[in-house]
Amino acid sequence: MQIVQQLREKNLALTQFLEFLHGSSLWDKLSASTSGDTIRPTAHLLSDIAEKIVAAIALKCLHNSHARIIDEAIDLVLKEGNRSPPSPNLTNQDLFYVQINRIHEIFKFFAELIENYVKQELTTTQVQTALVEINTITVTVLQEVTKFRELKSDLFAVRDDLKRYEYLPWTASSGRYGLKDVLLHMINNTLNYGIKGSGEPEFKIKHYQHMTDLVDFVLDGRKRFLDSVQDEDKRTVLLQQYESKRSDLIFPLVDAEQYELAAKLAEKYLDFQILVVICDKTNNQTRLDEYIERYKQYDFSQFAISWHMRQNKQGDIFHRFKGNQAELARFLSDHPSLAWIQLVFNGELAQAAEVLLALAQNEKELLNRKRVMLSLSKLCALAAEGDFSAQITEINSEVKLLDLQEQIPMEILNIYGYDTKNAKVLSPEEIVDLYIADEYSKSSETEFRKALELLDFVEDPIEVRHKIWCAAILRDNWEDYNRSAPLDTMQGMMFFRLIDLCYILDGELENFLPPVESFLSAPELGDLVESKSFQYLIKLGYEHIYDSYKKK
């Protein structure tokens, strides 16, 4: 009792000193001091001292009921500092409590004691009991500190011009002078040696609660520090770190299905991801609606909808947010890939058909996805009221382009290393190049005819048509022919077989066949244009074709 009384007298003396500073207007003259490698307002330093006195009183009040563990930790603190009582009439307790500014040191050894017990191979029950006891001591002491901090916040308020200095309380500081690292150590101990190390429900309930309290202390300290940072760039970086750490600390409770404890922390520190995950895992629509209303100012609904998108839970969006049509519409305005679903639900089939067609035309990745969009667009157009024949014609044209791509021989696709299982959407020009590729030796007039069908889809049909016919010319040997019957030779040549096929399918020569002059000096044919045999055969072939087909 003597130590407690001495600590309370210290507390009283400090309180009177603070009242004197305020009463004499000296408080307003306090500035800042260097503490370690940072500059802190003197008021914050005085606040730390006052809080450590409160911590010492709280710890001493717990001493009798937890004497063994507290004494063991005190012995380790003094041993590390090579300190011992100067008189046989004094105990380790006397020496420890007289230096209240070093009270934080004992928590480090509280954390290490658990690992020592594990290494000493104590029984599971002994380790669990010690862990509960240490966490109980730590939580009780820090709760008293937090209560004092909130109650006396006005007493330690700083002038506006001193708010440029950051506020980092000792409980949130890293390193040997703070508790942040120690508390994280205790959280890990609670998770690894407590929650994961025990199957006893009685112990687990206490571990979950202690872990919640410890996480609360860590986040509270980091949040207070973050709120005091004035530098925007620094604050942005710290905010990202804080949000990441916040989720890391709370999520183990979600994994353990301690949803109420996790929600308590997530609500306090605005971890919306945790809140949405809890609603999703528990399928709690009422809770989700309540959060949407409570956190309206933070645009919670948009965050929640976006989360469902990122988790590929698009199907749940329309069910879970059907009561928030305005928010859903706002989100879908930026996500047309889903907007059509709401349009269908609302019976706006014509608009849904337009959206789906636009999505299909912009689809550059998966061929199957584009085909599905086109099919859905056509269904909506057919079901909608009104005349949508022009749109259906456009859809059919897009489908034809997909059909032409899907008819590319598999061997060609394999040669060029295309993914044939998850085919990507190719441009018309790319499809043409594959149909007339030199590497495909089995190519016939059929493939070249399909390439010509793509002229309706390319940007420069005249140039592409010329390219296709030149490729057909290069497939043939124009030097080795039967000079007695050149027409017989031409019947077996790719170029002329292609002309015959196109005439059968397309009719008028002018619709598909370029003039002979375009080939006689075509640079794409290289040295072939200098060949007399080529010049002779192609001119002869054109004369024969025009004479024969015009007679028909």
Side-chain angles (χ1 to χ4, degrees), residues 2 4-14 16 57:
Q2 185 178 1
V4 172
Q5 185 59 34
Q6 290 173 345
L7 291 171
R8 286 173 177 163
E9 288 174 358
K10 282 186 177 182
N11 192 31
L12 178 61
L14 180 60
Q16 291 176 343
I57 294 172

Side-chain angles (χ1 to χ4, degrees), residues 66 68-70 72 109-111 113-118 122-138 186 189-190 193-194 203 207 210:
H66 303 283
R68 185 187 62 80
I69 280 185
I70 294 178
E72 187 175 356
F109 290 100
F110 280 153
L113 278 176
I114 295 301
E115 293 182 336
N116 291 340
Y117 295 156
V118 173
L122 269 63
T123 65
T124 301
T125 301
Q126 288 175 316
V127 172
Q128 298 297 314
T129 302
L131 182 58
V132 168
E133 191 172 0
I134 285 173
N135 282 343
T136 298
I137 296 168
T138 303
M186 288 183 167
N189 283 348
T190 305
Y193 303 128
F203 280 125
H207 292 322
H210 283 154

Side-chain angles (χ1 to χ4, degrees), residues 9 27-28 71 77 81 142-143 157 231 233 251 254 275 296 326 332 378 431 467 475 508 518 541:
E9 288 174 358
W27 185 266
D28 294 332
D71 283 337
V77 170
L142 292 183
Q143 282 176 341
D231 186 300
D233 292 337
F251 219 91
V254 178
L275 295 179
K296 185 183 296 184
L332 293 177
K378 188 172 182 178
I431 301 173
K467 176 181 179 179
R475 286 299 181 105
E508 295 296 327
S518 63

